[in-house]
Amino acid sequence: MWYVMNKQNGKKLRLFEINVILPLFEYMISYKQKEVDENFDSYLEQIKNQNIIELNKIKKTNQKLYCIRKREQLLTSENKKIDLLIYICKRKYNKKKFLDSVDKLLRLDEIRLRYQYYCYLQQKRELKSKKRCIDDFKSKNDGISLEWQVIFCDFYYKKFFTNEKIWSMIGEKKLTRDEFHDNFRNDNNIYVCPYCDLNYNHDVGILEIEHFLPKSKYPFLAMNPLNLYSACVTCNKPSKGKGDKVIRPITMPYYEDIGRKMNFFIDITEKKISIKGKNLKIENYIHLLQLQERYSSKGNYEHIQRKIKSFYQTLKDSKDKKIIDNIDEFQKYIEEVTKPKECTCYFILSDFFKNNRGELQ
Ligand SMILES: [Zn+2]
């Protein structure tokens, strides 16, 4: 419900994209273009060897021309990426070989392969776009081969995400899941789950890396930092949270402060909480995360009630009661007491006190 960013993890995942995801697409397309007979990994070896021959020639010429140095840098960096791809091609996960998935995809013709690359780039663009709403993904997901599911979800996300060797070949320290949560917390100075504002995220043990658009349906977004959240376990559960449901149109915490676009009502006689979104995207978000039911649960209702009581008490004890008369001062006071992003249930408490300011006076 809080507007958040994913800068540090984003930087790291961008390096993974530049060194692994994009080169794989590009070398697969060039393999199809050249109509070579050998296997994909031998094809990569061949390019690497050609590059080495050229690099040796450059060294012998001993020229310091700018364009020659540039060419040398380019070939060296290309060979690094090829080495990484050759290494990756040899990996196995659950008895599946990475290279087998690549081979299956290479049975497609060049146009279809290019189309899938286009879909990858297009989905990435759409997620990042300023439209600030997810509603146009369906068509771009048609025609994506199932094999990408194995590559992006099983290999990239499950196996390579924390693989020390791969990260060291990229030139980075490995990204552990705990580090992901730490980075996320530090980027946002947040101590509550950004999805629900109901649970804390102090303890990494109760956190999960959650794909807003589920990786089972959107494999191309499995490693996209704008699709990955450090969220509480409940939010990730299909029974109580979002699971791998998709509802459109919808917004998400990387786009806006969703909690500020909700209205909360506390029914004291019925002991129920109802939440209304200010537009359809917010309504769908409430529905997706089952927030209505979760906020109204007995345990949560009582928790909120306790917080309200303690707020009243603090206000009663406070020496300066004038704060209630001034709406801005009052708002500031609520922020001080409820500690946004540090304590859970900020949005509902803030709404409640604003709506009941009259009674406090
Ligand atoms: Zn949550």
Side-chain angles (χ1 to χ4, degrees):
M1 288 156 82
W2 286 103
Y3 171 65
V4 282
M5 290 178 285
N6 200 7
K7 282 192 175 169
Q8 293 181 62
N9 294 316
K11 255 189 213 164
K12 223 151 171 178
L13 290 169
R14 174 75 184 136
L15 287 174
F16 186 89
E17 185 192 34
I18 292 171
N19 287 283
V20 178
I21 300 176
L22 302 181
L24 180 71
F25 274 119
E26 279 156 17
Y27 284 112
M28 281 170 78
I29 290 169
S30 84
Y31 177 90
K32 291 301 288 186
Q33 264 178 334
K34 290 180 188 158
E35 297 177 346
V36 274
D37 289 330
E38 65 262 81
N39 293 333
F40 183 66
D41 49 348
S42 318
Y43 168 68
L44 291 174
E45 291 278 4
Q46 205 184 61
I47 305 174
K48 185 184 152 183
N49 291 335
Q50 282 165 4
N51 287 348
I52 293 175
I53 294 169
E54 201 183 329
L55 274 165
N56 286 336
K57 272 187 199 159
I58 291 176
K59 269 177 201 148
K60 274 183 196 154
T61 57
N62 210 14
Q63 285 201 44
K64 289 199 168 66
L65 285 175
Y66 176 76
C67 59
I68 292 177
R69 292 294 145 236
K70 270 272 154 220
R71 179 79 187 143
E72 191 181 7
Q73 276 172 12
L74 191 88
L75 291 170
T76 314
S77 121
E78 193 182 353
N79 270 6
K80 265 189 174 177
K81 285 178 189 167
I82 293 174
D83 273 339
L84 186 50
L85 284 187
I86 292 171
Y87 176 78
I88 281 172
C89 281
K90 291 187 185 126
R91 298 303 99 203
K92 282 183 195 167
Y93 181 76
N94 275 348
K95 291 181 188 160
K96 283 179 211 154
K97 288 183 190 159
F98 187 86
L99 192 58
D100 286 350
S101 298
V102 173
D103 284 340
K104 277 184 202 159
L105 287 165
L106 286 172
R107 284 180 210 146
L108 299 171
D109 58 39
E110 191 197 325
I111 294 172
R112 260 178 65 85
L113 204 56
R114 275 185 186 280
Y115 172 74
Q116 315 224 350
Y117 188 22
Y118 160 80
C119 289
Y120 170 80
L121 297 172
Q122 183 66 11
Q123 288 193 5
K124 188 179 125 178
R125 247 193 310 270
E126 278 183 21
L127 201 64
K128 217 177 140 185
S129 87
K130 298 272 182 251
K131 282 199 297 180
R132 305 218 177 276
C133 172
I134 294 163
D135 59 357
D136 193 28
F137 271 87
K138 199 173 184 318
S139 59
K140 309 292 186 306
N141 228 8
D142 292 343
I144 290 176
S145 308
L146 281 176
E147 223 47 51
W148 290 115
Q149 182 82 35
V150 178
I151 291 183
F152 273 79
C153 303
D154 294 344
F155 282 97
Y156 291 169
Y157 180 70
K158 289 184 191 151
K159 192 169 167 75
F160 298 165
F161 195 93
T162 56
N163 184 298
E164 206 160 350
K165 172 80 177 167
I166 290 175
W167 281 107
S168 87
M169 288 175 91
I170 292 173
E172 283 283 315
K173 267 194 354 198
K174 76 168 175 177
L175 181 62
T176 66
R177 287 176 204 266
D178 285 357
E179 247 169 57
F180 181 94
H181 296 306
D182 284 343
N183 288 343
F184 186 87
R185 191 184 302 117
N186 293 338
D187 271 349
N188 300 295
N189 236 335
I190 194 170
Y191 296 90
V192 294
C193 169
Y195 275 165
C196 62
D197 200 29
L198 282 170
N199 292 316
Y200 285 100
N201 68 358
H202 298 299
D203 177 13
V204 285
I206 61 147
L207 287 176
E208 281 180 1
I209 300 180
E210 214 282 336
H211 291 82
F212 191 79
L213 287 168
K215 59 183 183 310
S216 56
K217 292 174 182 142
Y218 299 93
F220 282 162
L221 298 173
M223 292 291 276
N224 190 312
L226 285 184
N227 195 35
L228 297 176
Y229 286 86
S230 176
C232 75
V233 179
T234 320
C235 278
N236 202 8
K237 272 188 193 159
S239 56
K240 290 186 175 169
K242 62 184 279 296
D244 60 1
K245 292 193 289 291
V246 180
I247 305 176
R248 274 184 301 252
I250 200 158
T251 181
M252 61 172 184
Y254 284 133
Y255 291 162
E256 58 188 325
D257 240 344
I258 299 173
R260 296 197 197 276
K261 294 191 176 165
M262 290 177 182
N263 289 319
F264 295 86
F265 305 95
I266 304 181
D267 184 336
I268 298 163
T269 32
E270 291 285 320
K271 290 191 174 176
K272 265 190 92 176
I273 289 167
S274 55
I275 315 171
K276 271 225 108 8
K278 291 186 181 169
N279 60 47
L280 181 61
K281 289 184 288 174
I282 310 276
E283 281 282 300
N284 284 342
Y285 180 87
I286 296 167
H287 187 51
L288 179 76
L289 283 143
Q290 308 193 48
L291 294 176
Q292 177 83 64
E293 297 78 3
R294 287 166 69 194
Y295 267 83
S296 282
S297 77
K298 194 168 174 279
N300 191 57
Y301 184 86
E302 284 166 2
H303 169 72
I304 288 167
Q305 212 179 20
R306 276 196 300 275
K307 282 206 166 193
I308 291 172
K309 272 186 190 158
S310 101
F311 177 84
Y312 274 106
Q313 194 55 47
T314 325
L315 197 66
K316 238 170 93 184
D317 297 345
S318 154
K319 288 186 183 76
D320 188 9
K321 295 209 171 47
K322 275 184 213 145
I323 36 174
I324 307 171
D325 301 331
N326 182 317
I327 180 85
D328 293 332
E329 284 291 310
F330 186 63
Q331 180 66 36
K332 241 195 266 167
Y333 183 70
I334 294 174
E335 301 244 338
E336 248 169 59
V337 177
T338 47
K339 292 194 171 56
K341 287 191 179 179
E342 276 179 49
C343 293
T344 55
C345 301
Y346 165 75
F347 295 106
I348 184 165
L349 292 172
S350 154
D351 249 23
F352 180 82
F353 297 132
K354 268 186 273 171
N355 295 337
N356 294 284
R357 198 164 66 100
E359 281 179 38
L360 289 169
Q361 281 165 322

